[in-house]
Amino acid sequence: MRLLCLSLLLALPACQIIGDPADSNASATDTTTEGPDQTTSTTTTSDGPVTTTAETTTSEGTTTEAQPTTTGTTGPADMCQGLDEAECAAAEGCRTVVGTPLDFAGCNPLPAYLGCAVETDCGLMPTTVCRPNSLEVYAIDDTCVPSDLEVCDSMLPLCGEECLGLDEAACTMDPNCTAHFGAPHIEENMAVCVDFANPQFLACDKLQPACPPAVVTVCPEGQPDVVFDVASGCTPPGFESCMDNVAPACP
């Protein structure tokens, strides 16, 4: 009986070593996954699974590390967006976009700065653009559309188109129209001179930017003998330049 007890006592330490609590955090499951470029090992412990990803090895034997993905980078469109006309004209890679207003409510016939666009985005095709959530519609000379406008279709005429053909009274009353006046060339004392004291109404046109500060000599199209000097520097619609008929002012 004494020998039996001794055997039992010798066996107890061995049991304690096998079930030692110090090994309670040892791996319960070890999973190894191998891919073409990396090896991932997952070890489950009492604190939860731990995943380790090895370095990537290419077929050429070089080792690379995955790089973080960057979002929200600034491109050329962001660089041009929101610039005013002067800033846009000075910015490399950007160009100003100017449009001719169509006849929407409250339009002004003068060309309007619409925004700044990336220069390389432009194609040679006339385009109609609209401003979202508004009545504004413009015609531009190409496909260079600022980011806050969108391409659209419209049957509207150009703003101020109705000015053509108006008489003097109606033309001068419409803020979207420009009345053109000219001093007639007359014959006086056997010589031709320009009668600046009695200008005549020549034509009505849509409002436009200021003309060069110069006097131009014009004739109705196809009528070279009917001559006027226009002090505004603009050629009225339906008229053409006839510089061969230059004459002095009447005394």
Side-chain angles (χ1 to χ4, degrees):
M1 292 299 292
R2 291 179 181 178
L3 293 175
L4 180 60
C5 292
L6 181 59
S7 299
L8 292 174
L9 291 173
L10 292 174
L12 288 175
C15 295
Q16 184 177 1
I17 293 173
I18 295 173
D20 194 343
D23 293 336
S24 61
N25 289 332
S27 172
T29 57
D30 291 330
T31 303
T32 301
T33 303
E34 296 184 0
D37 296 321
Q38 67 180 18
T39 301
T40 303
S41 299
T42 303
T43 301
T44 303
T45 68
S46 60
D47 297 326
V50 177
T51 301
T52 304
T53 302
E55 294 179 335
T56 301
T57 303
T58 65
S59 60
E60 289 79 4
T62 57
T63 301
T64 59
E65 295 182 1
Q67 299 298 320
T69 302
T70 302
T71 58
T73 56
T74 300
D78 298 319
M79 177 184 68
C80 300
Q81 184 176 1
L83 299 181
D84 62 29
E85 189 169 4
E87 294 170 338
C88 184
E92 184 177 356
C94 301
R95 62 163 293 179
T96 58
V97 180
V98 177
T100 301
L102 300 191
D103 196 23
F104 57 85
C107 70
N108 185 317
L110 296 176
Y113 171 69
L114 301 182
C116 193
V118 182
E119 192 167 20
T120 55
D121 287 349
C122 305
L124 298 177
M125 180 180 296
T127 307
T128 302
V129 296
C130 299
R131 192 177 302 281
N133 303 318
S134 77
L135 299 176
E136 298 180 32
V137 190
Y138 301 88
I140 59 177
D141 294 333
D142 49 35
T143 62
C144 204
V145 181
S147 57
D148 59 341
L149 297 178
E150 58 187 24
V151 177
C152 60
D153 294 322
S154 177
M155 299 299 292
L156 293 174
L158 294 177
C159 184
E161 198 78 14
E162 71 280 358
C163 298
L164 299 176
L166 293 182
D167 60 23
E168 180 180 356
C171 186
T172 54
M173 292 295 294
D174 194 324
N176 285 338
C177 301
T178 297
H180 293 275
F181 295 87
H185 286 210
I186 62 173
E187 185 173 342
E188 188 176 90
N189 298 325
M190 304 294 294
V192 175
C193 63
V194 184
D195 187 6
F196 285 105
N198 297 289
Q200 297 180 11
F201 173 73
L202 301 182
C204 188
D205 196 5
K206 64 182 180 181
L207 192 64
Q208 55 187 302
C211 298
V215 176
V216 295
T217 302
V218 298
C219 305
E221 294 176 352
Q223 302 179 55
D225 296 331
V226 181
V227 189
F228 299 88
D229 275 13
V230 179
S232 67
C234 297
T235 300
F239 286 73
E240 58 187 1
S241 176
C242 51
M243 296 301 295
D244 293 338
N245 302 84
V246 177
C250 295

